[in-house]
Amino acid sequence: MASQSDKFQPTKADHFTFGLWTVGNQGRDPFGDAVRAPLSPLVTVEQLSKLGAYGVTLHDNDLIPLGASDSEREKILRDFKKALSDYDLRVPMVTVNLFYHPVFKDGAFTSSMAPIRRYAIDKAKKAIDLGQELGAETFVLWGGREGSEVDAARDPRDAMKHYRQGVNELTEHILKNRYPMRIAMEAKPNEPRSDIYLATTGAMLAFIATLDHPEMVGVNPEIAHEKMAGLNPYHSIGQALEAGKLFHIDLNDQKPGRYDQDLRFASDDLKGSFYVVKMLEDGGYQGPRHFDAHPYRSENAEGVWDFARGCMRTYLVLKDKVHKFAQDAEIQGILSELKTWSEREDAFDRDAWGAVGYQYEKLDQLVVELLLGAR
Ligand code: DIG
Ligand code: MN
Ligand code: MN
């Protein structure tokens, strides 16, 4: 295979991170079994480091199997920390699996059963402790089972009250232990539940405002999830950033109107992905460039690393296009002309304004040609 240009080779300074579950995805789907062998977290750390990644992220049970004994936990953590040190990788984010075990089949924090809610909150607190032990500064909470199929079974107002109680207990846990950690909540409209509560990043931002410690809680928008809701990730991420609430991000891609595909970053929607990179780079987002995606089921163990390379490389190619956008005289010429109009102070002439031509056709064509490498 032709060697890839050095210009787009990732380095740790790019702060790319991957979930253990992403490259470790074995290719199961509702109609087919695993196509790849399990991937050891130790191999993942070594391989991602060699590819230029900055860190890995994990659910509690991606690393510590449910039901592991204290001694098993200690050994797993010892080996994992050694690998992180040997390969100079960080763990900027930890999350909790509140969706795989059958106990969560009707919800975790929003379960109607108090004992299940209590178990879920305690499991999340232990995952926060694990994150602290690994040096994570962000705890992501994705409520994949917080939802419903039968609305007769639960009043969404009760679900909100229980969700709030759970998150408030997590912020109390962080404050009591003086952990330097923040919580980032991740929205998704559906799948695996027929409807998931707090379906979009916008809904999450409204919910966060009702918490005891809203300053400790932000959002972790996922591109695929906003697109599943028919929304424009550039706008969702922009709203979060402007509100000071973009605490983390899940980068991937998604074809419209399909199940959660978690595709390789920018592998479907190049222009939309370009604007996401533009928002992160121009908007001064300081967090890791985190990929929550997985390789196609078609891929073998080698193809997994093609997937990881592709995520990072395309981000860097688009970051270079963001730089070219800022340097492009024609694009900037149109934008500055629009800016002078925006500040006009002469007498308001409704018909004149109604007749204005905004040059958006020309502007968007220039962006398309920039992305196609035609300018
Ligand atoms: C799914 O999009 C969710 C889970 O993978 C995880 O809880 C979170 C981490 O970014 N994203
Ligand atoms: Mn997803
Ligand atoms: Mn995600």
Side-chain angles (χ1 to χ4, degrees):
M1 190 173 92
S3 70
Q4 292 175 336
S5 139
D6 286 345
K7 188 176 174 188
F8 303 123
Q9 292 303 311
T11 68
K12 295 194 187 305
D14 295 311
H15 280 197
F16 290 126
T17 59
F18 287 82
L20 288 179
W21 69 92
T22 64
V23 290
N25 177 288
Q26 292 185 259
R28 283 192 185 85
D29 66 29
F31 307 100
D33 203 343
V35 295
R36 293 183 289 268
L39 188 59
S40 150
L42 307 183
V43 172
T44 298
V45 165
E46 177 182 354
Q47 291 301 324
L48 286 178
S49 178
K50 288 176 178 172
L51 289 178
Y54 168 74
V56 286
T57 65
L58 53 99
H59 300 81
D60 48 351
N61 301 134
D62 296 337
L63 186 67
I64 315 287
L66 202 58
S69 67
D70 290 348
S71 60
E72 285 165 339
R73 182 182 187 282
E74 272 163 43
K75 177 171 183 344
I76 290 168
L77 268 176
R78 191 168 53 247
D79 295 347
F80 188 62
K81 285 177 183 175
K82 182 177 184 313
L84 292 170
S85 166
D86 291 350
Y87 292 101
D88 187 23
L89 231 51
R90 302 287 181 283
V91 181
M93 180 275 275
V94 164
T95 181
V96 60
N97 188 320
L98 296 179
F99 47 84
Y100 196 79
H101 191 283
V103 70
F104 298 126
K105 60 190 174 186
D106 188 30
F109 281 23
T110 63
S111 166
S112 303
M113 308 304 158
I116 295 176
R117 295 199 300 272
R118 174 49 48 208
Y119 170 68
I121 293 168
D122 290 345
K123 189 172 195 286
K125 287 179 181 176
K126 289 188 176 71
I128 287 172
D129 296 341
L130 174 63
Q132 171 64 16
E133 194 169 344
L134 293 170
E137 59 256 10
T138 304
F139 178 75
V140 162
L141 182 65
W142 172 60
R145 296 285 179 195
E146 316 296 7
S148 76
E149 287 74 43
V150 177
D151 282 335
R154 185 167 33 246
D155 183 323
R157 292 172 294 173
D158 293 332
M160 290 303 106
K161 289 185 181 68
H162 291 146
Y163 220 151
R164 183 176 303 112
Q165 173 62 29
V167 180
N168 284 341
E169 284 205 36
L170 299 191
T171 53
E172 283 307 321
H173 184 71
I174 290 170
L175 288 169
K176 186 180 73 179
N177 290 285
R178 299 179 190 281
Y179 290 159
M181 195 181 290
R182 301 188 301 182
I183 295 173
M185 295 187 72
E186 177 175 346
K188 187 174 181 181
N190 59 71
E191 189 196 23
R193 298 308 299 263
S194 180
D195 292 290
I196 295 181
Y197 300 125
L198 302 177
T200 66
T201 293
M204 275 298 177
L205 290 168
F207 174 75
I208 288 165
T210 71
L211 296 171
D212 290 349
H213 294 282
E215 73 286 355
M216 293 174 64
V217 186
V219 289
N220 175 54
E222 179 178 304
I223 291 173
H225 299 174
E226 297 300 300
K227 294 185 84 165
M228 285 173 72
L231 300 175
N232 182 338
Y234 178 58
H235 297 185
S236 307
I237 294 165
Q239 181 185 358
L241 198 59
E242 198 272 340
K245 289 293 185 183
L246 188 65
F247 287 8
H248 198 262
I249 192 156
D250 274 3
L251 298 168
N252 57 16
D253 210 350
Q254 174 73 26
K255 290 185 178 214
R258 291 164 173 80
Y259 60 90
D260 187 10
Q261 294 180 297
D262 292 337
L263 297 173
R264 184 180 79 255
F265 178 64
S267 58
D268 180 71
D269 177 5
L270 271 179
K271 188 159 71 166
S273 304
F274 163 76
Y275 284 114
V276 167
V277 173
K278 189 170 185 303
M279 180 57 72
L280 297 180
E281 299 301 325
D282 288 355
Y285 168 68
Q286 296 299 313
R289 274 62 175 163
H290 177 253
F291 298 106
D292 181 8
H294 60 72
Y296 302 130
R297 189 164 185 264
S298 53
E299 300 310 289
N300 63 11
E302 191 180 317
V304 165
W305 308 112
D306 293 334
F307 153 80
R309 272 187 213 96
C311 283
M312 296 188 282
R313 186 174 166 76
T314 306
Y315 188 100
L316 293 176
V317 172
L318 291 175
K319 185 176 173 181
D320 183 55
K321 296 294 185 187
V322 169
H323 177 71
K324 288 185 166 69
F325 178 100
Q327 303 297 316
D328 188 296
E330 268 194 279
I331 289 175
Q332 295 306 318
I334 292 175
L335 294 177
S336 56
E337 192 176 346
L338 290 166
K339 190 152 172 47
T340 54
W341 293 1
S342 70
E343 289 143 12
R344 283 174 63 168
E345 291 179 354
D346 50 357
F348 182 77
D349 178 338
R350 181 179 54 210
D351 294 337
W353 275 111
V356 155
Y358 286 92
Q359 306 180 79
Y360 288 169
E361 283 290 348
K362 188 174 175 186
L363 178 60
D364 188 62
Q365 178 64 22
L366 290 169
V367 173
V368 167
E369 291 186 15
L370 176 72
L371 294 178
L372 292 175
R375 61 182 295 112

